[in-house]
Amino acid sequence: MRPSISARHRIPLILALGFVVDHTVADQTLSGPGDCAQAGAYTICQNLWGADTGTGSQSTTLKSASGSSVAWETTYTWANSPNNVKSYANVDHNTAKGMQLQDIVSAPTSWQWNYQSADSDLRADISYDIWTGVPQSGAVASSASSYEIMIWLSQRGGVGGIGSTVAQNIQLGGHSWNLKHGPNSNWDVFSFITAEGDITNFDADLNDFFQYLIDNQGVAKTQFLQAIQAGTEPFTGSADLVTTSFSVDVSTGNEPASSSSSPPPPSSTSVHVTSSSSSVGSSSYSPGASSASNNGHSSSTTADGGSSTSSSPAEQTGGTVRGAGNPQCGLRMPGQQRMIRRSWLRSFLQ
């Protein structure tokens, strides 16, 4: 039975848990679970939100950043608590947010990645994590969140998504997906999980996924896009994951693509983030896809076939309680403060 680690610690940057660099510096090493750095149009974060549930280490190296394109590498080794996510090393677009879903005309994205090495029994996913809400802006995995939309390009070792399968073999972005839906704290989670194995060369329009949810799953078109993140969630095992190229833009038709207002690319493009823990195309959808309702409770299937109830607002914490309003990593940007974190726990078998 999955332990009730329904929350992850969100620790403000001012607590000195992490060190944030506003400009990319060649060969700069950052350490700490909440470390983040500027990466052109993105912010890259180590985000070891679940490290306390196991033992191991992880490092994330920014390889390059130019315009809306970014490349990075994440290497990790994690052991113990095989049903607990240990981290979410990710990039978060700095400006692809603040528009209503009904106003988005396109959101092209491209992600090329590969495992340079990976254990045969690796438990991990590679996924987008997209957040929407009623307010125009808000910290992810907080009271401002209405929906968490995940797109899983890889799942290994039997890990799955929150909730129940509500549709199968959906055709979107030139690929086939199974869709899970379930509640987590005050928001709902939709997980498009690859039905065809690893998708290592992904080119699609995220707006197709948004429109599918609006047309078929009751997501309000007035929801505001609050964040687009992309990264990996390891549970246990060792791997060296390389993203050779990632990009995403959002256009409302009235404004240029989001990348045009992004920060200029840095002059140097090698940032190394490291930390260790010892305690621890065009697309279409198929409206006739088969469905199964979820149980309507904040619970999830666990490794032994039992269930675990989520009771706190931000289901992803370094091991015990993921509390709302207490971000795992706070990044102070010029003129504002943004919250970088990773959502929830993920230890579910399909």
Side-chain angles (χ1 to χ4, degrees), residues 2 4-11 49-50 131 139-145 148 162 183-187 189 298 309-328 340-346:
R2 177 172 180 88
S4 142
I5 20 181
S6 49
R8 61 169 187 185
H9 296 299
R10 292 196 187 104
I11 303 157
W49 67 263
W131 294 85
V140 297
S142 75
S143 59
S145 307
E148 179 181 13
I162 286 176
N184 182 27
S185 185
N186 58 276
W187 64 88
V189 183
S298 183
T309 300
S310 210
S311 59
S312 64
E315 183 213 315
Q316 168 174 240
T317 310
T320 43
V321 178
R322 164 174 112 149
N326 184 21
Q328 185 269 348
I340 305 297
R341 52 79 274 163
R342 166 60 213 141
S343 74
W344 47 259
L345 59 98
R346 188 116 34 217

Side-chain angles (χ1 to χ4, degrees), residues 51-335:
D52 288 345
T53 66
T55 58
S57 62
Q58 176 177 296
S59 65
T60 299
T61 304
L62 176 63
K63 296 293 191 179
S64 64
S66 177
S68 65
S69 182
V70 63
W72 74 97
E73 179 176 6
T74 300
T75 303
Y76 58 81
T77 296
W78 293 109
N80 301 332
S81 301
N83 294 326
N84 291 8
V85 175
K86 304 306 187 293
S87 65
Y88 184 59
N90 72 93
V91 294
D92 185 339
H93 200 291
N94 295 328
T95 59
K97 58 191 69 183
M99 58 285 291
Q100 287 184 311
L101 297 183
Q102 65 184 350
D103 294 329
I104 296 174
V105 296
S106 66
T109 187
S110 177
W111 194 351
Q112 286 77 48
W113 60 271
N114 66 87
Y115 278 116
Q116 287 204 346
S117 63
D119 287 349
S120 60
D121 58 350
L122 176 67
R123 289 172 60 79
D125 68 67
I126 297 170
S127 58
Y128 289 79
D129 203 17
I130 303 167
W131 294 85
T132 72
V134 173
Q136 189 169 14
S137 62
V140 297
S142 75
S143 59
S145 307
S146 296
Y147 294 102
E148 179 181 13
I149 302 166
M150 302 199 74
I151 302 173
W152 290 36
L153 304 186
S154 175
Q155 60 169 167
R156 295 202 177 189
V159 299
I162 286 176
S164 304
T165 300
V166 295
Q168 294 179 314
N169 298 317
I170 306 167
Q171 300 301 308
L172 286 168
H175 298 280
S176 181
W177 314 87
N178 296 324
L179 179 64
K180 282 193 170 184
H181 174 223
N184 182 27
S185 185
N186 58 276
W187 64 88
D188 279 10
V189 183
F190 285 102
S191 300
F192 293 90
I193 301 175
T194 171
E196 55 190 60
D198 288 352
I199 303 174
T200 59
N201 187 3
F202 183 61
D203 285 282
D205 189 338
L206 295 179
N207 197 36
D208 293 334
F209 293 84
F210 301 155
Q211 292 304 312
Y212 172 86
L213 293 175
I214 291 169
D215 294 343
N216 295 272
Q217 297 298 329
V219 173
K221 62 184 180 181
T222 53
Q223 284 276 302
F224 281 96
L225 181 63
Q226 294 177 339
I228 298 178
Q229 301 173 325
T232 184
E233 292 181 315
F235 291 72
T236 54
S238 298
D240 182 3
L241 173 63
V242 176
T243 290
T244 55
S245 179
F246 174 85
S247 66
V248 64
D249 292 308
V250 179
S251 175
T252 61
N254 300 321
E255 307 234 353
S258 58
S259 62
S260 63
S261 58
S262 302
S267 56
S268 301
T269 57
S270 177
V271 166
H272 186 71
V273 183
T274 181
S275 181
S276 64
S277 169
S278 58
S279 64
V280 264
S282 96
S283 58
S284 61
Y285 57 80
S286 174
S290 61
S291 65
S293 63
N294 74 60
N295 59 20
H297 298 290
S298 183
S299 61
S300 56
T301 303
T302 61
D304 61 2
S307 65
S308 168
T309 300
S310 210
S311 59
S312 64
E315 183 213 315
Q316 168 174 240
T317 310
T320 43
V321 178
R322 164 174 112 149
N326 184 21
Q328 185 269 348
C329 170
L331 173 61
R332 227 177 255 287
M333 310 270 300

Side-chain angles (χ1 to χ4, degrees), residues 12-41:
L13 185 65
I14 57 174
L15 294 184
L17 232 197
F19 177 61
V20 178
V21 174
D22 288 333
H23 302 285
T24 304
V25 179
D27 300 321
Q28 171 134 20
T29 297
L30 308 177
S31 60
D35 284 359
C36 301
Q38 283 300 112

